[in-house]
Amino acid sequence: MATGTQLEMSPPPTGRAQWSGKLGALKTRAVLRWAEMEPRQRFWTVAAAVLLAGLAGFLAWYGLRTDWRVLYTGLDADDARQMEQTLAAAQIPFDVDPAGSAIRVPAPDLDKARLAAAAKGGVKSGRMGFEIFDKPNWVGSEFDEQVNYQRALEGELERTIGTLSDVESARVHLVMMHDSLFRDQERPAKASVVLKLRHAALADGEADSIRNLVAGAVDGLTPDRVILVDAAGHLPLGPKTPEALRLSAEQALEDKLIATLEPVTGPGNVRASVTLDYDPTATETTAETYDPSQTATLTMQRTSETAGAQPVPSGVPGTASNAPNTQALPVYPKVATQPETAQSESGTYGVSKITRHSIENPGRIDRLTAAIVVNDRLIQPAALGKPAVWQPRSAAELRNLTALAQAAIGYNGTRGDVVTVEDLAFSGNRFESPVSPVEQALNRAENSPVLVKYAALLAAILLVLAFGVRPALKRAGLGGPAGPEGKELPAPADGGEEIPEGAEPLELEPIGKTRAQELFEQVTEQMRRDPAQSSRLLQSWIHSD
């Protein structure tokens, strides 16, 4: 065993020896502390160590895990396969979701992956366009060329239709025109287009534009032979129904009312709702009207005949009196008939008649109803925590607004139209108290998923430490010496065995004395077996003090 003279003459350890001495001292202290513990304390110590190790392992995994970022989503199977080949060739790690429609890459490699994908032409629509003819096919037949041309045309039309603002993706199927010497064997061109929309409906006229686009790109195809289908299956993309026309007309009138009244009331201070009553039936009317007071000559025919005097035979009957170029005797004077005159007139007259033929298509407006709500007038805006001051509008101002609204939508009183303008305070006029910093932090956390994630992680760590590690350490007795009822007693300030004032001295139980005696014997035996290590331990304790 090392003596005091030897301890004084040995130099203080430095470097590696000093660290090994400290580690040995810590090991000895841990062994002594472990030997002093009861089985229950040892169990809770192990439990606390396991919790801490699990928490440290989770934090290490969470900090070292790969941060995946989405490169593409909503891919077709062919597009996903081509993109996987591109990323593998560029030696970029990637991850594919179980559905196979989304590809993710590590955050540091996101820009590199985008450049690699762009270098290969990016993501196609699932079918190739005219680039299918970039590589010549020397062994293909004429039928193969026709099929490839149809595929290329369908792919180009899909890409073109996909560039529209309201269309997310499109699928085009063409039936090419077939010419034949026999008329009954001819086949006209047809097309079917399936659209996946970004919004609830297409813009006005956009469906007809798509039909004209497809018809103009295919020989012999007319717009009426192009069928448009919505991918969701609940929206007709053909001509608008009367109900759709009514809704469009109501929306147009509401926009017109707001555009007319907002310059007067201020932006956001007008709400309008218009209802149109349509007649969905078609009407055809023919009317004839006669006016007996007004007549007109349609035709007129007049005939006039005049006959003069004619000689009448006279004298003695016989040859001499009837022979021509004979001179009548004076005893037999000449006799003649009286002249005759005949006239006839025929006329046709007609009464004035008016014939009207009118056809009214479905959608005739029977009645128009408009409800308009305007906000109060702003007198003083809010400033420095003071609420804004609003004042109701006068009756004269409401009459002027009503007149403007009637003129804007084509008010017709004879048909029963109703236009109502009311002044009501909007809910936004109420004064809102300033938001507290706590509420601002909560609102910011709700709008930041990353902040919520890390806050939840921190809360979980604190819960594990508070309700797992800390109780385990207390039950293990590592928080200090415990009293008779399990309460910790304050340790002496100088490390001695002083008892606080007012505290009763504790008597060690026999089992405690036996354990202390066993510990003393174990330490003595350790110092006898390895005096050098024991001397280094004592030196480290002396220098640490």
Side-chain angles (χ1 to χ4, degrees):
M1 185 174 179
T3 60
T5 307
Q6 292 175 344
L7 293 176
E8 291 176 359
M9 294 177 62
S10 54
T14 58
R16 186 174 180 179
Q18 183 177 3
W19 282 107
S20 62
K22 290 184 178 181
L23 292 177
L26 291 176
K27 180 180 179 181
T28 304
R29 290 181 183 179
V31 170
L32 294 177
R33 185 60 177 170
W34 180 263
E36 291 177 356
M37 292 182 181
E38 298 178 356
R40 181 178 59 84
Q41 293 177 335
R42 293 178 181 178
F43 170 77
W44 287 110
T45 301
V46 173
V50 170
L51 288 175
L52 289 175
L55 183 60
F58 172 75
L59 292 177
W61 170 83
Y62 191 82
L64 300 177
R65 69 187 181 91
T66 304
D67 184 12
W68 296 103
R69 298 295 178 87
V70 176
L71 178 63
Y72 287 108
T73 184
L75 296 176
D76 296 337
D78 295 338
D79 293 337
R81 177 177 53 80
Q82 294 177 1
M83 189 54 57
E84 290 174 7
Q85 294 176 357
T86 301
L87 295 176
Q91 297 181 356
I92 299 175
F94 60 89
D95 178 64
V96 184
D97 67 338
S101 60
I103 296 179
R104 301 183 302 170
V105 297
D109 297 332
L110 182 60
D111 295 336
K112 182 180 178 181
R114 289 175 177 173
L115 293 176
K120 295 295 183 179
V123 177
K124 305 294 190 304
S125 62
R127 276 196 283 186
M128 299 180 65
F130 282 108
E131 64 269 14
I132 196 174
F133 296 106
D134 291 344
K135 296 181 180 181
N137 186 8
W138 303 107
V139 296
S141 61
E142 183 180 358
F143 176 76
D144 295 336
E145 293 294 330
Q146 292 178 357
V147 172
N148 289 335
Y149 174 74
Q150 180 175 344
R151 292 174 54 196
L153 189 57
E154 290 173 348
E156 292 293 336
L157 286 174
E158 290 174 2
R159 296 179 189 177
T160 304
I161 297 174
T163 58
L164 299 178
S165 59
D166 292 335
V167 178
E168 182 176 349
S169 63
R171 190 76 172 176
V172 179
H173 300 278
L174 299 177
V175 177
M176 307 303 290
M177 181 178 59
H178 176 69
D179 295 331
S180 177
L181 297 176
F182 302 97
R183 183 177 298 274
D184 56 349
Q185 294 182 2
E186 290 183 352
R187 183 180 63 196
K190 295 180 292 183
S192 299
V193 182
V194 180
L195 301 176
K196 186 177 181 181
L197 305 179
R198 289 190 175 92
H199 309 291
L202 290 173
D204 293 339
E206 198 165 7
D208 295 335
S209 301
I210 296 175
R211 290 191 181 89
N212 294 329
L213 171 66
V214 176
V218 181
D219 293 337
L221 181 60
T222 56
D224 58 336
R225 294 184 179 273
V226 179
I227 306 300
L228 300 185
V229 181
D230 179 22
H234 63 270
L235 181 65
L237 299 180
K240 286 191 174 182
T241 60
E243 182 67 17
L245 293 174
R246 182 182 68 85
L247 294 176
S248 299
E250 290 178 353
Q251 184 63 39
L253 291 176
E254 292 173 1
D255 296 340
K256 186 180 292 186
L257 284 173
I258 294 176
T260 303
L261 300 181
E262 265 194 348
V264 180
T265 61
N269 291 328
V270 181
R271 299 292 184 272
S273 177
V274 179
T275 302
L276 294 177
D277 292 337
Y278 272 99
D279 185 3
T281 60
T283 305
E284 183 175 353
T285 305
T286 301
E288 293 184 357
T289 304
Y290 294 91
D291 189 0
S293 63
Q294 296 182 1
T295 60
T297 302
L298 301 181
T299 60
M300 179 62 67
Q301 182 179 2
R302 292 185 177 90
T303 304
S304 178
E305 298 180 356
T306 303
Q310 299 294 331
V312 179
S314 62
V316 178
T319 304
S321 60
N322 294 321
N325 299 325
T326 58
Q327 185 175 6
L329 297 178
V331 287
Y332 301 105
K334 295 181 178 180
V335 179
T337 60
Q338 295 292 331
E340 295 180 0
T341 302
Q343 294 182 352
S344 63
E345 182 175 343
S346 175
T348 303
Y349 300 91
V351 181
S352 177
K353 180 181 71 171
I354 300 175
T355 303
R356 293 185 177 90
H357 183 75
S358 60
I359 298 176
E360 294 183 0
N361 295 324
R364 182 174 57 87
I365 298 177
D366 291 338
R367 188 186 180 192
L368 183 148
T369 305
I372 305 170
V373 180
V374 295
N375 195 10
D376 292 341
R377 179 184 293 279
L378 180 61
I379 303 301
Q380 182 179 355
L384 299 177
K386 295 182 179 179
V389 179
W390 300 83
Q391 180 181 358
R393 301 180 185 272
S394 61
E397 188 174 1
L398 291 179
R399 285 195 298 270
N400 294 334
L401 295 176
T402 304
L404 285 175
Q406 292 176 353
I409 62 176
Y411 172 81
N412 187 357
T414 58
R415 132 184 113 181
D417 294 350
V418 177
V419 177
T420 303
V421 180
E422 293 291 339
D423 177 24
L424 298 174
F426 288 4
S427 60
N429 299 353
R430 302 186 184 95
F431 176 70
E432 297 181 358
S433 58
V435 182
S436 62
V438 177
E439 294 179 354
Q440 292 180 359
L442 292 177
N443 295 333
R444 188 177 302 172
E446 291 178 358
N447 299 327
S448 177
V450 177
L451 184 60
V452 172
K453 180 175 68 174
Y454 285 106
L457 179 62
L458 180 60
I461 293 174
L462 294 178
L463 289 175
V464 171
L465 293 175
F467 297 100
V469 178
R470 187 169 179 270
L473 293 177
K474 281 187 175 181
R475 293 192 178 187
L478 299 180
E485 299 180 358
K487 297 183 180 180
E488 296 181 358
L489 297 177
D494 55 353
E497 298 181 354
E498 295 182 1
I499 300 177
E501 297 181 1
E504 298 180 358
L506 298 179
E507 297 181 0
L508 295 177
E509 298 178 357
I511 186 172
K513 294 180 180 179
T514 304
R515 184 175 301 139
Q517 186 65 27
E518 291 177 357
L519 291 176
F520 179 78
E521 292 176 357
Q522 291 177 2
V523 172
T524 304
E525 184 65 23
Q526 176 68 22
M527 294 180 67
R528 288 176 181 176
R529 286 199 307 265
D530 194 354
Q533 182 179 0
S534 301
S535 62
R536 287 196 298 270
L537 176 61
L538 294 176
Q539 290 177 7
S540 63
W541 288 353
I542 294 172
H543 289 288
S544 62
D545 293 336

